[in-house]
Amino acid sequence: MAYIINQVLNLKEKIREEELEKYNSSFVTNDLQNKEADIVYKMKEKNIFFLIEHQSKVDYSMPYRLEEYRIEIIKSAIDIEKIKNKGYEIPEVIPIVIYTGKRNWNAKLHLHSIQDERFKNVNLQKYNLIDINKYEKETLIDSNYLIDKMFLIQRSEGQEEMKKTIIQAVETTKDEKDKEKLIRIVKLTLMKQINKDELEEIIKSKKGEVEVMEEVIERLKRDAIKEGLKEGLKQGLKEGVSSIIKNMLQKGIEVNEIKELTGVSKKEIEQIKQLME
């Protein structure tokens, strides 16, 4: 096996026989057809595997089959806890096909193929990374794309910066549909990271930006109440819904407004009100 590996890989430093050990060779794929990889060898004390597949006929599905086997071998050998550590070496599988048929082998040698010339220089063997820390803040602010406004908010460090950034993001979003979407994102961000008192601070922060943020905050409150109530009703938390309505009544909010905000019928709200008297 060492001889075969050295022959096909043409390594400068040869693999020695004593470096190899046989590994479990059976890997049942998800299609449950009991396909088996012929032979699997492993380098001792290393997460490097050699998958040896014998073929007597040309098989055009070979790149896909080998990818299936490769993933199964990795899954069987990987340490799920250690994979979270930066220094952990993920198992590497090197597939080798030994073909002994009479026809010339003309199946593809890799799974990926260029179906569009625009991707001919793209490395399809690796994932492509977008790191928002590499973007200049000014570039994101000036951009007309919604995704850049999302990046802008996500880059915020601390609540004070986040509040200022949200105002900038909303104000500089020109497309109304994008602004609506951004408001939903702002809602999730604010509700998780900024408390109620600080929401009011955002509104009071700057006169020129008050109108924009008042509209945002109002929608946030409405959406949050409605979504919270819907979740509560789905889970049968009627007491929780009642408690919310009671709090709203105690704060002097009119029945019709509570109905509009919560979606609960006027009759039910009146009943809760009577129980409070």
Side-chain angles (χ1 to χ4, degrees):
M1 194 51 58
Y3 170 74
I4 289 173
I5 292 169
N6 289 325
Q7 281 285 99
V8 72
L9 298 183
N10 194 26
L11 300 173
K12 288 184 179 180
E13 186 178 341
K14 303 300 182 186
I15 302 292
R16 302 187 307 276
E17 289 182 26
E18 57 268 25
E19 291 183 90
L20 298 174
E21 60 185 0
K22 199 168 183 182
Y23 191 68
N24 179 16
S25 64
S26 178
F27 296 94
V28 180
T29 55
N30 291 333
D31 57 12
L32 301 179
Q33 292 178 3
N34 291 324
K35 295 177 182 176
E36 292 186 354
D38 286 355
I39 306 170
V40 180
Y41 274 80
K42 178 183 181 298
M43 291 192 72
K44 295 176 181 177
E45 300 179 3
K46 292 183 180 178
N47 262 346
I48 300 175
F49 298 81
F50 299 96
L51 163 61
I52 315 296
E53 183 75 8
H54 172 241
Q55 282 293 125
S56 58
K57 295 180 180 179
V58 176
D59 184 350
Y60 295 107
S61 71
M62 185 55 66
Y64 171 72
R65 279 179 55 196
L66 290 175
E67 188 68 12
E68 278 193 300
Y69 299 152
R70 192 179 75 84
I71 294 298
E72 291 301 320
I73 293 169
I74 290 173
K75 283 166 63 177
S76 73
I78 205 162
D79 188 317
I80 296 299
E81 291 304 316
K82 290 183 180 178
I83 196 175
K84 299 174 184 178
N85 300 328
K86 184 180 179 181
Y88 178 70
E89 295 288 348
I90 295 174
E92 183 59 65
V93 180
I94 300 171
I96 297 172
V97 175
I98 299 175
Y99 174 57
T100 57
K102 297 187 182 300
R103 292 171 51 199
N104 288 332
W105 183 271
N106 59 357
K108 291 178 181 177
L109 296 178
H110 49 80
L111 181 64
H112 305 289
S113 61
I114 303 299
Q115 299 179 35
D116 189 310
E117 281 298 307
R118 287 171 290 184
F119 304 116
K120 66 181 180 180
N121 295 321
V122 176
N123 185 345
L124 300 176
Q125 301 298 322
K126 70 178 184 68
Y127 65 85
N128 299 282
L129 175 67
I130 294 176
D131 184 348
I132 64 172
N133 297 298
K134 304 291 184 183
Y135 288 78
E136 294 290 336
K137 186 176 180 180
E138 291 72 21
T139 302
L140 298 176
I141 291 171
D142 294 338
S143 172
N144 292 324
Y145 290 97
L146 175 61
I147 187 68
D148 285 336
K149 305 300 182 183
M150 298 179 193
F151 289 162
L152 184 65
I153 293 172
Q154 288 298 318
R155 276 188 46 161
S156 301
E157 294 183 8
Q159 293 187 2
E160 289 306 314
E161 184 182 343
M162 178 172 286
K163 288 185 285 186
K164 292 176 183 177
T165 304
I166 287 167
I167 292 171
Q168 283 182 310
V170 173
E171 279 196 328
T172 56
T173 302
K174 297 174 183 178
D175 185 275
E176 288 303 318
K177 288 184 179 178
D178 283 348
K179 188 170 286 191
E180 288 290 330
K181 292 176 184 176
L182 185 58
I183 285 170
R184 292 182 63 82
I185 296 164
V186 170
K187 177 196 69 176
L188 294 173
T189 307
L190 286 174
M191 292 306 177
K192 288 181 180 179
Q193 300 189 40
I194 301 178
N195 63 42
K196 291 179 182 178
D197 293 336
E198 286 174 319
L199 290 179
E200 298 303 323
E201 286 181 23
I202 295 175
I203 296 174
K204 296 173 184 176
S205 59
K206 292 183 180 179
K207 276 195 174 182
E209 296 158 342
V210 167
E211 293 79 12
V212 175
M213 289 313 298
E214 278 181 337
E215 180 185 350
V216 173
I217 299 302
E218 185 60 31
R219 293 187 190 196
L220 300 187
K221 289 177 179 178
R222 289 171 183 266
D223 287 350
I225 292 169
K226 285 181 182 178
E227 288 179 17
L229 287 171
K230 282 178 184 175
E231 279 300 311
L233 288 168
K234 282 180 186 176
Q235 298 173 21
L237 301 177
K238 292 185 179 178
E239 289 183 8
V241 175
S242 254
S243 176
I244 291 171
I245 293 172
K246 284 177 185 177
N247 287 335
M248 295 173 82
L249 287 168
Q250 286 171 350
K251 290 178 180 179
I253 300 175
E254 297 295 329
V255 172
N256 286 333
E257 190 175 354
I258 295 173
K259 176 188 172 185
E260 184 183 345
L261 288 170
T262 64
V264 176
S265 71
K266 187 175 180 179
K267 183 179 179 182
E268 289 175 297
I269 297 169
E270 292 286 2
Q271 288 175 345
I272 294 170
K273 188 177 181 181
Q274 287 175 7
L275 291 172
M276 291 172 61
E277 293 173 353

